[in-house]
Amino acid sequence: MVKPSRSYRVFQGVNGVVLTFVVLVTLYPFVNIIARSFSGERQIRAGEVTLWPKGFNLTTYKIVFQDSMFWRNYGNTVLYTVVGTVVAMVLTTCYAYVLSKRHLRGRTALVGVAVFTMLFTGGLIPNYVLVTSLGLKNSVWAIALPNAISVFNLLVMKAFFESLPSELEEAAQIDGLSTYGILLRIVLPLSKAVVATMVLFYSVSFWNSWFSAFLYMDSSDLMPVTVYLRNLIAGATGGGNAGAGTEQLSQVGANIQAVTIVLTALPILAVYPFVQRYFVSGVMLGAVKG
Protein backbone atom coordinates (compact mmCIF):
# COMPACT_ATOMS: atom_id res chain seq x y z
CA MET A 1 0.00 0.00 0.00
CA VAL A 2 1.38 3.40 -1.00
CA LYS A 3 1.83 5.75 1.94
CA PRO A 4 0.00 9.07 1.43
CA SER A 5 2.28 12.00 0.78
CA ARG A 6 2.58 14.88 3.23
CA SER A 7 0.77 17.27 0.91
CA TYR A 8 -2.12 14.81 0.56
CA ARG A 9 -2.41 14.46 4.36
CA VAL A 10 -2.45 18.25 4.66
CA PHE A 11 -5.19 18.37 2.03
CA GLN A 12 -7.22 15.78 3.94
CA GLY A 13 -6.86 17.75 7.17
CA VAL A 14 -7.86 21.07 5.59
CA ASN A 15 -10.70 19.39 3.73
CA GLY A 16 -12.00 17.84 6.96
CA VAL A 17 -11.89 21.18 8.80
CA VAL A 18 -13.66 23.03 5.98
CA LEU A 19 -16.38 20.38 5.63
CA THR A 20 -16.92 20.28 9.38
CA PHE A 21 -17.36 24.05 9.39
CA VAL A 22 -19.84 23.84 6.50
CA VAL A 23 -21.84 21.17 8.35
CA LEU A 24 -21.97 23.27 11.53
CA VAL A 25 -23.04 26.38 9.61
CA THR A 26 -25.72 24.36 7.82
CA LEU A 27 -27.06 22.73 10.98
CA TYR A 28 -27.17 25.90 13.09
CA PRO A 29 -30.38 27.36 11.55
CA PHE A 30 -32.22 24.04 11.99
CA VAL A 31 -31.15 23.66 15.61
CA ASN A 32 -32.02 27.29 16.30
CA ILE A 33 -35.48 26.90 14.79
CA ILE A 34 -36.16 23.81 16.92
CA ALA A 35 -34.94 25.62 20.03
CA ARG A 36 -37.17 28.64 19.29
CA SER A 37 -40.20 26.41 18.80
CA PHE A 38 -39.88 25.19 22.42
CA SER A 39 -38.88 28.52 24.01
CA GLY A 40 -40.85 31.13 25.89
CA GLU A 41 -42.06 34.43 24.47
CA ARG A 42 -39.82 36.68 26.57
CA GLN A 43 -36.64 34.77 25.76
CA ILE A 44 -37.45 34.72 22.04
CA ARG A 45 -38.16 38.45 21.84
CA ALA A 46 -35.02 39.19 23.84
CA GLY A 47 -32.91 37.17 21.41
CA GLU A 48 -31.64 34.82 24.10
CA VAL A 49 -32.39 31.58 22.23
CA THR A 50 -29.48 30.07 20.29
CA LEU A 51 -28.93 26.30 20.38
CA TRP A 52 -31.00 25.34 23.42
CA PRO A 53 -34.61 26.20 24.39
CA LYS A 54 -35.01 28.81 27.10
CA GLY A 55 -38.20 29.31 29.07
CA PHE A 56 -39.41 25.90 27.88
CA ASN A 57 -42.93 26.30 26.50
CA LEU A 58 -45.31 24.00 24.60
CA THR A 59 -48.22 26.44 24.26
CA THR A 60 -48.10 26.77 20.49
CA TYR A 61 -47.70 23.03 19.95
CA LYS A 62 -50.68 22.36 22.25
CA ILE A 63 -52.87 24.89 20.44
CA VAL A 64 -52.02 23.40 17.06
CA PHE A 65 -52.36 19.75 18.12
CA GLN A 66 -55.68 20.33 19.91
CA ASP A 67 -57.28 21.75 16.77
CA SER A 68 -59.11 19.00 14.85
CA MET A 69 -58.70 21.02 11.64
CA PHE A 70 -54.93 20.58 11.89
CA TRP A 71 -55.23 16.78 11.82
CA ARG A 72 -57.78 16.86 9.02
CA ASN A 73 -55.52 19.07 6.92
CA TYR A 74 -52.53 16.92 7.81
CA GLY A 75 -54.36 13.88 6.48
CA ASN A 76 -55.15 15.81 3.31
CA THR A 77 -51.46 16.55 2.86
CA VAL A 78 -50.57 12.88 3.18
CA LEU A 79 -53.28 11.96 0.65
CA TYR A 80 -52.24 14.64 -1.85
CA THR A 81 -48.57 13.70 -1.51
CA VAL A 82 -49.13 9.96 -1.97
CA VAL A 83 -51.57 10.27 -4.88
CA GLY A 84 -49.60 13.05 -6.56
CA THR A 85 -46.31 11.18 -6.25
CA VAL A 86 -47.77 7.93 -7.62
CA VAL A 87 -49.37 9.70 -10.59
CA ALA A 88 -46.24 11.73 -11.26
CA MET A 89 -43.95 8.69 -11.11
CA VAL A 90 -46.13 6.63 -13.47
CA LEU A 91 -46.39 9.40 -16.07
CA THR A 92 -42.78 10.55 -15.78
CA THR A 93 -41.38 7.01 -15.96
CA CYS A 94 -43.45 6.07 -19.01
CA TYR A 95 -42.66 9.33 -20.81
CA ALA A 96 -38.94 9.11 -20.00
CA TYR A 97 -38.74 5.48 -21.13
CA VAL A 98 -40.33 6.35 -24.46
CA LEU A 99 -37.99 9.30 -24.99
CA SER A 100 -34.95 7.13 -24.24
CA LYS A 101 -35.56 5.10 -27.43
CA ARG A 102 -33.41 6.66 -30.15
CA HIS A 103 -35.23 4.78 -32.92
CA LEU A 104 -38.61 6.29 -31.93
CA ARG A 105 -40.21 8.34 -34.70
CA GLY A 106 -41.05 11.87 -33.59
CA ARG A 107 -38.73 11.59 -30.58
CA THR A 108 -37.27 15.05 -31.20
CA ALA A 109 -40.74 16.58 -31.32
CA LEU A 110 -41.75 14.89 -28.04
CA VAL A 111 -38.61 16.16 -26.32
CA GLY A 112 -39.28 19.62 -27.74
CA VAL A 113 -42.83 19.62 -26.36
CA ALA A 114 -41.52 18.77 -22.89
CA VAL A 115 -38.77 21.40 -22.96
CA PHE A 116 -41.20 24.03 -24.30
CA THR A 117 -43.49 23.56 -21.30
CA MET A 118 -40.49 24.07 -19.02
CA LEU A 119 -39.76 27.46 -20.58
CA PHE A 120 -43.31 28.72 -21.22
CA THR A 121 -46.56 28.27 -19.31
CA GLY A 122 -50.16 29.12 -20.10
CA GLY A 123 -50.48 31.44 -17.12
CA LEU A 124 -52.49 31.37 -13.93
CA ILE A 125 -55.92 32.28 -15.33
CA PRO A 126 -55.88 29.78 -18.25
CA ASN A 127 -54.78 27.03 -15.85
CA TYR A 128 -57.60 27.89 -13.45
CA VAL A 129 -60.17 27.92 -16.28
CA LEU A 130 -58.87 24.56 -17.55
CA VAL A 131 -58.99 22.87 -14.14
CA THR A 132 -62.47 24.26 -13.50
CA SER A 133 -63.84 23.26 -16.91
CA LEU A 134 -62.54 19.71 -16.44
CA GLY A 135 -64.40 19.42 -13.14
CA LEU A 136 -61.25 18.88 -11.11
CA LYS A 137 -61.86 21.59 -8.51
CA ASN A 138 -62.21 20.46 -4.89
CA SER A 139 -60.57 17.10 -5.61
CA VAL A 140 -57.14 15.57 -5.25
CA TRP A 141 -56.78 15.60 -9.04
CA ALA A 142 -56.63 19.40 -9.08
CA ILE A 143 -53.30 19.08 -7.26
CA ALA A 144 -51.98 15.83 -8.73
CA LEU A 145 -52.62 16.23 -12.47
CA PRO A 146 -51.47 19.81 -13.26
CA ASN A 147 -48.16 19.10 -11.47
CA ALA A 148 -47.78 15.52 -12.64
CA ILE A 149 -44.64 15.85 -14.77
CA SER A 150 -41.58 17.88 -13.87
CA VAL A 151 -39.52 18.36 -17.03
CA PHE A 152 -36.28 18.39 -15.04
CA ASN A 153 -37.13 15.02 -13.49
CA LEU A 154 -38.23 13.75 -16.89
CA LEU A 155 -34.91 14.62 -18.52
CA VAL A 156 -32.91 13.08 -15.67
CA MET A 157 -34.84 9.81 -15.94
CA LYS A 158 -34.50 9.85 -19.74
CA ALA A 159 -30.73 10.20 -19.49
CA PHE A 160 -30.61 7.39 -16.91
CA PHE A 161 -32.59 5.01 -19.11
CA GLU A 162 -30.33 5.85 -22.04
CA SER A 163 -27.30 4.82 -19.98
CA LEU A 164 -28.62 1.27 -19.50
CA PRO A 165 -27.12 -1.35 -21.86
CA SER A 166 -29.43 -1.91 -24.83
CA GLU A 167 -28.29 -5.55 -24.96
CA LEU A 168 -30.36 -6.30 -21.85
CA GLU A 169 -33.57 -5.24 -23.55
CA GLU A 170 -32.67 -7.07 -26.74
CA ALA A 171 -32.12 -10.26 -24.77
CA ALA A 172 -35.46 -9.77 -23.01
CA GLN A 173 -37.19 -9.31 -26.37
CA ILE A 174 -35.68 -12.58 -27.60
CA ASP A 175 -37.06 -14.27 -24.47
CA GLY A 176 -40.52 -13.01 -25.42
CA LEU A 177 -41.05 -10.07 -23.05
CA SER A 178 -43.31 -7.27 -24.25
CA THR A 179 -42.42 -3.59 -24.00
CA TYR A 180 -44.23 -3.27 -20.67
CA GLY A 181 -42.64 -6.47 -19.43
CA ILE A 182 -39.18 -5.15 -20.24
CA LEU A 183 -39.94 -1.89 -18.43
CA LEU A 184 -41.37 -3.58 -15.32
CA ARG A 185 -39.09 -6.61 -15.05
CA ILE A 186 -35.78 -5.38 -16.49
CA VAL A 187 -35.51 -1.59 -16.58
CA LEU A 188 -37.15 -0.54 -13.30
CA PRO A 189 -35.30 -3.06 -11.09
CA LEU A 190 -32.05 -1.65 -12.50
CA SER A 191 -33.24 1.93 -11.94
CA LYS A 192 -33.86 1.90 -8.17
CA ALA A 193 -31.45 4.80 -7.64
CA VAL A 194 -33.11 7.23 -10.03
CA VAL A 195 -36.62 6.07 -9.08
CA ALA A 196 -35.93 6.68 -5.37
CA THR A 197 -34.48 10.09 -6.21
CA MET A 198 -37.51 11.09 -8.27
CA VAL A 199 -39.88 9.86 -5.55
CA LEU A 200 -38.05 12.11 -3.09
CA PHE A 201 -38.21 15.11 -5.44
CA TYR A 202 -41.92 14.70 -6.14
CA SER A 203 -42.81 13.95 -2.51
CA VAL A 204 -41.08 17.09 -1.27
CA SER A 205 -42.74 19.15 -4.00
CA PHE A 206 -46.27 17.94 -3.22
CA TRP A 207 -45.73 18.06 0.54
CA ASN A 208 -44.61 21.69 0.49
CA SER A 209 -47.14 22.81 -2.12
CA TRP A 210 -49.86 25.12 -0.89
CA PHE A 211 -50.75 27.48 -3.73
CA SER A 212 -52.55 24.87 -5.87
CA ALA A 213 -54.81 23.92 -2.97
CA PHE A 214 -55.29 27.57 -2.05
CA LEU A 215 -56.41 28.19 -5.64
CA TYR A 216 -58.52 25.13 -6.40
CA MET A 217 -60.02 24.17 -3.02
CA ASP A 218 -63.06 26.07 -1.74
CA SER A 219 -63.45 24.37 1.65
CA SER A 220 -61.03 24.52 4.56
CA ASP A 221 -61.69 20.80 5.10
CA LEU A 222 -59.90 20.09 1.81
CA MET A 223 -56.84 22.22 2.46
CA PRO A 224 -53.39 20.72 3.11
CA VAL A 225 -51.56 21.41 6.33
CA THR A 226 -49.34 24.00 4.64
CA VAL A 227 -52.38 26.22 4.06
CA TYR A 228 -53.53 25.65 7.63
CA LEU A 229 -50.15 26.74 8.97
CA ARG A 230 -50.10 29.70 6.61
CA ASN A 231 -53.47 30.81 7.98
CA LEU A 232 -52.22 30.21 11.51
CA ILE A 233 -49.35 32.59 10.92
CA ALA A 234 -51.76 35.14 9.50
CA GLY A 235 -53.92 34.85 12.62
CA ALA A 236 -56.94 33.35 10.80
CA THR A 237 -57.02 30.06 12.76
CA GLY A 238 -55.24 28.33 15.61
CA GLY A 239 -55.01 30.33 18.79
CA GLY A 240 -58.21 32.29 18.24
CA ASN A 241 -60.24 29.19 17.46
CA ALA A 242 -58.84 27.35 20.45
CA GLY A 243 -60.08 30.02 22.85
CA ALA A 244 -56.62 31.05 23.88
CA GLY A 245 -56.11 33.99 26.20
CA THR A 246 -53.97 37.06 25.60
CA GLU A 247 -50.89 35.45 27.12
CA GLN A 248 -51.29 32.39 24.93
CA LEU A 249 -51.75 34.53 21.82
CA SER A 250 -48.54 36.38 22.64
CA GLN A 251 -46.70 33.08 22.96
CA VAL A 252 -48.15 31.86 19.66
CA GLY A 253 -47.11 35.07 17.93
CA ALA A 254 -43.57 34.72 19.25
CA ASN A 255 -42.72 31.24 18.00
CA ILE A 256 -45.42 30.30 15.50
CA GLN A 257 -43.02 30.51 12.55
CA ALA A 258 -40.56 28.16 14.23
CA VAL A 259 -43.32 25.69 15.11
CA THR A 260 -44.73 25.68 11.58
CA ILE A 261 -41.28 25.09 10.08
CA VAL A 262 -40.71 22.13 12.41
CA LEU A 263 -44.13 20.60 11.71
CA THR A 264 -43.82 20.85 7.93
CA ALA A 265 -40.16 19.85 7.62
CA LEU A 266 -40.04 16.99 10.14
CA PRO A 267 -41.85 14.32 8.04
CA ILE A 268 -39.64 14.90 5.00
CA LEU A 269 -36.51 14.94 7.17
CA ALA A 270 -37.61 11.61 8.66
CA VAL A 271 -38.02 10.03 5.21
CA TYR A 272 -34.87 11.44 3.64
CA PRO A 273 -32.32 9.15 5.39
CA PHE A 274 -34.00 6.08 3.88
CA VAL A 275 -33.55 7.34 0.29
CA GLN A 276 -30.37 9.36 0.75
CA ARG A 277 -28.12 6.49 -0.32
CA TYR A 278 -29.84 6.48 -3.72
CA PHE A 279 -29.83 10.25 -4.08
CA VAL A 280 -26.30 10.99 -5.35
CA SER A 281 -26.03 7.92 -7.58
CA GLY A 282 -29.49 8.52 -9.04
CA VAL A 283 -28.80 12.09 -10.06
CA MET A 284 -25.22 11.54 -11.22
CA LEU A 285 -25.93 8.42 -13.27
CA GLY A 286 -28.77 10.21 -15.00
CA ALA A 287 -26.81 13.40 -15.64
CA VAL A 288 -23.28 12.27 -16.52
CA LYS A 289 -22.52 10.52 -19.76
CA GLY A 290 -19.32 8.92 -20.99
Side-chain angles (χ1 to χ4, degrees), residues 215-228:
L215 190 65
Y216 301 127
M217 302 297 180
D218 294 331
S219 172
S220 58
D221 291 340
L222 300 174
M223 295 295 182
V225 72
T226 46
V227 175
Y228 170 89

Side-chain angles (χ1 to χ4, degrees), residues 4-17:
S5 63
R6 181 180 179 182
S7 59
Y8 183 71
R9 293 197 301 270
V10 172
F11 167 77
Q12 286 183 311
V14 173
N15 195 35
V17 172

Side-chain angles (χ1 to χ4, degrees), residues 78-96 136 139-150 153-154 157 198-199 202-203 206:
V78 174
L79 174 65
Y80 298 157
T81 301
V82 172
V83 174
T85 301
V86 171
V87 171
M89 286 303 301
V90 171
L91 296 180
T92 303
T93 302
C94 293
Y95 198 178
L136 301 179
S139 72
V140 63
W141 307 114
I143 296 176
L145 293 182
N147 304 304
I149 296 181
S150 166
N153 295 345
L154 172 69
M157 290 197 76
M198 295 302 106
V199 168
Y202 278 121
S203 299
F206 282 110

Side-chain angles (χ1 to χ4, degrees), residues 68-149:
S68 61
M69 183 63 69
F70 168 78
W71 295 109
R72 187 177 298 113
N73 292 161
Y74 217 98
N76 292 338
T77 297
V78 174
L79 174 65
Y80 298 157
T81 301
V82 172
V83 174
T85 301
V86 171
V87 171
M89 286 303 301
V90 171
L91 296 180
T92 303
T93 302
C94 293
Y95 198 178
Y97 183 65
V98 169
L99 295 181
S100 67
K101 303 306 172 187
R102 300 185 184 278
H103 61 271
L104 177 70
R105 293 182 180 180
R107 176 175 178 267
T108 303
L110 291 175
V111 175
V113 169
V115 174
F116 182 84
T117 61
M118 182 171 61
L119 302 175
F120 304 97
T121 61
L124 180 62
I125 295 177
N127 284 337
Y128 182 82
V129 173
L130 176 63
V131 171
T132 303
S133 62
L134 292 176
L136 301 179
K137 279 193 64 177
N138 297 316
S139 72
V140 63
W141 307 114
I143 296 176
L145 293 182
N147 304 304
I149 296 181

Side-chain angles (χ1 to χ4, degrees), residues 31-288:
V31 177
N32 179 255
I33 285 294
I34 294 175
R36 286 170 59 90
S37 70
F38 290 103
S39 298
E41 175 199 2
R42 184 183 63 80
Q43 289 80 4
I44 294 174
R45 299 192 185 280
E48 299 176 1
V49 182
T50 52
L51 299 177
W52 193 257
K54 293 188 177 181
F56 190 80
N57 198 301
L58 296 175
T59 299
T60 305
Y61 280 105
K62 290 179 180 179
I63 290 176
V64 173
F65 288 156
Q66 289 173 359
D67 193 346
S68 61
M69 183 63 69
F70 168 78
W71 295 109
R72 187 177 298 113
N73 292 161
Y74 217 98
N76 292 338
T77 297
V78 174
L79 174 65
Y80 298 157
T81 301
V82 172
V83 174
T85 301
V86 171
V87 171
M89 286 303 301
V90 171
L91 296 180
T92 303
T93 302
C94 293
Y95 198 178
Y97 183 65
V98 169
L99 295 181
S100 67
K101 303 306 172 187
R102 300 185 184 278
H103 61 271
L104 177 70
R105 293 182 180 180
R107 176 175 178 267
T108 303
L110 291 175
V111 175
V113 169
V115 174
F116 182 84
T117 61
M118 182 171 61
L119 302 175
F120 304 97
T121 61
L124 180 62
I125 295 177
N127 284 337
Y128 182 82
V129 173
L130 176 63
V131 171
T132 303
S133 62
L134 292 176
L136 301 179
K137 279 193 64 177
N138 297 316
S139 72
V140 63
W141 307 114
I143 296 176
L145 293 182
N147 304 304
I149 296 181
S150 166
V151 179
F152 172 79
N153 295 345
L154 172 69
L155 296 179
V156 171
M157 290 197 76
K158 166 184 168 293
F160 186 93
F161 290 151
E162 289 176 341
S163 68
L164 297 176
S166 59
E167 292 78 8
L168 291 175
E169 298 187 38
E170 294 172 358
Q173 286 179 333
I174 294 175
D175 290 339
L177 281 181
S178 64
T179 301
Y180 293 105
I182 294 173
L183 174 62
L184 296 175
R185 300 177 63 178
I186 304 297
V187 175
L188 290 183
L190 295 174
S191 307
K192 292 180 181 178
V194 74
V195 169
T197 302
M198 295 302 106
V199 168
L200 175 65
F201 283 175
Y202 278 121
S203 299
V204 172
S205 176
F206 282 110
W207 183 272
N208 292 331
S209 175
W210 67 272
F211 187 70
S212 294
F214 188 75
L215 190 65
Y216 301 127
M217 302 297 180
D218 294 331
S219 172
S220 58
D221 291 340
L222 300 174
M223 295 295 182
V225 72
T226 46
V227 175
Y228 170 89
L229 297 174
R230 173 190 175 276
N231 293 336
L232 189 60
I233 293 176
T237 60
N241 290 348
T246 304
E247 184 177 347
Q248 286 183 318
L249 291 176
S250 298
Q251 174 63 41
V252 170
N255 67 350
I256 183 60
Q257 290 184 340
V259 171
T260 55
I261 291 173
V262 171
L263 293 177
T264 53
L266 187 60
I268 294 298
L269 292 177
V271 171
Y272 182 78
F274 296 98
V275 297
Q276 187 271 340
R277 62 193 181 103
Y278 298 107
F279 183 80
V280 175
S281 59
V283 174
M284 294 303 294
L285 287 176
V288 179

